[in-house]
Amino acid sequence: LLVAAPAAHASIEGGAAAIFVGWVMTCLGLVIFGFIVSVTQDMMSSKVDSLRFGNSRIIEHHHTVVLGSSEALRPLISQLALANESEGGGTVVVLSDKMPMDELMRIVELPDERDLRGTETVVRHGSPLQAESLLKVSAPTAKSIVILADLDISADESDAKVMRTVVALSAFPKLAGHIVAEVRDVDNVENVRLVARHPIECVVANDTIGRMMINCARQPALASVLESLLGFEGDEFYLRAWPELVGRSFHSIFLEDTLAGAVPIGLRKRNGRILLIPGADEIIDDHDEVIVIAEDDNTYGPRATPLGPSATAGTRSGAKPSEEDNDDSEEDHSPRGHGLVGADRPQHYLFLGWRNDVADMVAYLDEIAPHSSTLTIAAQLPLDEREVQMMADGRHRRAGLKNLTLSHIVESVVSRHALETLPLLHCDAILILSDQGHSGDPTHADSLALAALMLTRDIQ
């Protein structure tokens, strides 16, 4: 009673000794009460800090885990939200230790909440290299795991970090989903696959963008097609295995329009081989996935009664072209407007700026360009540094150029006087690269590219 009610000693009868004992018990009660309040406060503060700094473990399944953070994080979340829209939304969990939690939370929260389209974003602080942190984001039960490259270090160091993350994921005997890893150097792809214990897809963003730029330069309007197909707005590529199609030829499902709401374009065989527009005798086997172009993954499927070839042909050929299709008043009938694909004459290319993987772009262009074509690279990066970078990028392991004649010019791509000395009017294609020879700041590189574009257009 004296501990619970400190003032109870005032009513004690029994003289000074009893009152003293009551006073002592009252003081002891105050100490115990203060101790209980202090412990409770510490426990609550610890719990709040755990929630604030992302140290608590989440209980989730069928979600998407993003390991690491970079400038690609916000666009990635935006595209994942679009992909999850047909399912009523989803959950994206980000695990990173590169930046404070407050800053990371501002990145994952899109400016307009409607852009999330029902998708929830959760942030946790921890190292993707530690299995304990991976358990914190329920990585074993995720439907997909995305590993982002670290853009603040060199390509080899970033890829080594990705490899360590893949090794950490290999500590789990089983993963519910697959792994998608961003690799910065194409030469390190096999190394990442070598240490992977679970299914993994490696994406070399720089290499892919470089090839896309070359193909878009050779084929006008290809960029708009790729933009439509590679995003989750509009139609996209989808792969799925259909047991009811096993034993049929790809040719038959295409002619009979078997998959309603989709256009089949190829197969992914069980061994991972990709066949685009297979031959007429290609049979769909068990576990083969049909590659299609469709609006969403839940908007297409096999028809109950396949259409006959004649009905399909009538449907495809009977549609009248719209006025927009007939309106070719703005079509470019110049030689450049018809593209460079399939041309046998020598072609002349010009690169303005420098990229760390320019050697891979040169090697790819050499494979597809006609014989006796030329390539000029104009950038401020000195010739000796260019040679070092190209050697480090693997050019020494490749054979010499067969179709291209390569020449280098050391000039500023944002100087009008320097650009006027270049053969801008005689080039079949001009590619303006995000110049990485001086600064790793993306904003600065974009400013240089924009200035080079405006000056080039004005000179032409």
Side-chain angles (χ1 to χ4, degrees):
L1 177 63
L2 294 176
V3 174
H9 71 278
S11 60
I12 295 178
E13 298 180 358
I19 294 176
F20 176 76
V21 172
W23 179 80
V24 172
M25 295 298 293
T26 298
C27 293
L28 183 60
L30 293 174
V31 173
I32 295 176
F33 180 76
F35 176 75
I36 294 175
V37 171
S38 177
V39 171
T40 303
Q41 182 181 4
D42 290 342
M43 292 177 60
M44 294 297 296
S45 299
S46 177
K47 187 62 176 178
V48 171
D49 291 341
S50 177
L51 295 174
R52 178 184 177 186
F53 296 107
N55 294 324
S56 60
R57 180 177 178 179
I58 67 169
I59 306 299
E60 190 67 65
H61 67 282
H62 201 64
H63 58 296
T64 301
V65 172
V66 180
L67 303 179
S69 58
S70 68
E71 61 189 32
L73 180 57
R74 176 170 286 183
L76 174 63
I77 292 178
S78 178
Q79 289 298 314
L80 289 173
L82 282 172
N84 294 332
E85 184 179 13
S86 61
E87 302 176 0
T91 303
V92 179
V93 183
V94 180
L95 176 67
S96 176
D97 59 352
K98 286 186 58 178
M99 59 183 66
M101 288 297 299
D102 295 341
E103 182 178 351
L104 189 59
M105 291 179 65
R106 285 196 298 269
I107 293 178
V108 301
E109 293 176 354
L110 301 184
D112 190 347
E113 187 176 351
R114 291 174 296 181
D115 294 338
L116 289 175
R117 304 172 189 267
T119 294
E120 297 182 359
T121 57
V122 182
V123 175
R124 288 292 179 266
H125 187 271
S127 172
L129 309 180
Q130 299 177 355
E132 181 181 358
S133 297
L134 296 175
L135 283 174
K136 187 188 301 181
V137 295
S138 298
T141 59
K143 67 177 180 180
S144 59
I145 301 174
V146 181
I147 305 175
L148 295 180
D150 191 341
L151 304 181
D152 296 331
I153 55 181
S154 67
D156 289 334
E157 291 176 335
S158 174
D159 293 344
K161 191 174 180 180
V162 171
M163 290 178 60
R164 291 180 59 189
T165 304
V166 173
V167 171
L169 289 169
S170 299
F172 303 109
K174 184 178 180 180
L175 294 180
H178 63 284
I179 305 172
V180 179
E182 181 185 5
V183 182
R184 291 177 55 185
D185 192 338
V186 66
D187 296 327
N188 294 327
V189 170
E190 291 302 322
N191 298 334
V192 175
R193 291 175 177 169
L194 183 64
V195 301
R197 180 180 180 181
H198 307 288
I200 186 172
E201 293 288 344
C202 294
V203 178
V204 188
N206 288 338
D207 182 67
T208 302
I209 293 174
R211 290 171 177 258
M212 290 171 58
M213 289 183 63
I214 293 175
N215 288 322
C216 291
R218 288 169 50 82
Q219 184 64 55
L222 179 60
S224 59
V225 176
L226 294 176
E227 182 180 4
S228 175
L229 290 176
L230 298 183
F232 283 100
E233 293 180 343
D235 295 340
E236 307 90 37
F237 293 105
Y238 291 99
L239 296 84
R240 185 183 298 182
W242 299 96
E244 50 267 59
L245 300 182
V246 173
R248 297 186 55 183
S249 67
F250 178 86
H251 193 63
S252 67
I253 69 171
F254 179 81
L255 290 180
E256 298 176 7
D257 198 15
T258 303
L259 294 175
V263 177
I265 63 172
L267 295 174
R268 183 181 186 272
K269 305 298 288 185
R270 184 175 183 178
N271 59 4
R273 189 164 58 103
I274 302 295
L275 299 177
L276 295 180
I277 315 298
D281 57 347
E282 185 66 38
I283 303 299
I284 301 176
D285 300 322
D286 286 332
H287 305 290
D288 285 354
E289 296 177 309
V290 182
I291 306 174
V292 303
I293 298 177
E295 182 180 358
D296 212 331
D297 56 356
N298 62 350
T299 60
Y300 75 99
R303 297 181 185 274
T305 304
L307 300 177
S310 59
T312 304
T315 302
R316 290 174 177 165
S317 62
K320 296 181 179 181
S322 62
E323 295 181 0
E324 294 181 357
D325 296 333
N326 291 328
D327 185 11
D328 56 355
S329 58
E330 298 183 358
E331 183 179 356
D332 187 1
H333 294 283
S334 64
R336 293 177 183 174
H338 294 288
L340 304 175
V341 178
D344 295 330
R345 64 175 179 83
Q347 300 167 2
H348 306 285
Y349 297 88
L350 174 63
F351 286 2
L352 298 179
W354 185 263
R355 283 163 53 106
N356 292 335
D357 62 336
V358 72
D360 294 319
M361 296 182 64
V362 173
Y364 177 68
L365 183 58
D366 182 61
E367 294 176 2
I368 60 178
H371 187 66
S372 299
S373 297
T374 63
L375 170 62
T376 303
I377 302 179
Q380 280 190 293
L381 193 69
L383 294 179
D384 54 346
E385 295 186 26
R386 298 188 195 184
E387 184 63 25
V388 170
Q389 288 194 18
M390 296 183 75
M391 291 289 289
D393 199 36
R395 275 291 302 277
H396 64 286
R397 296 194 296 273
R398 303 187 181 101
L401 299 178
K402 298 179 181 179
N403 298 319
L404 283 178
T405 299
L406 177 62
S407 59
H408 290 275
I409 297 178
V410 181
E411 287 287 359
S412 171
V413 297
V414 293
S415 169
R416 185 182 184 89
H417 174 72
L419 290 176
E420 288 177 343
T421 62
L422 300 177
L424 299 180
L425 301 179
H426 304 286
C427 291
D428 295 289
I430 301 175
L431 281 75
I432 301 178
L433 308 181
S434 181
D435 200 327
Q436 301 175 3
H438 297 279
S439 172
D441 183 11
T443 304
H444 177 68
D446 291 345
S447 300
L448 293 178
L450 180 60
L453 173 62
M454 300 303 295
L455 289 173
T456 302
R457 281 187 169 180
D458 186 59
I459 294 174
Q460 288 182 322

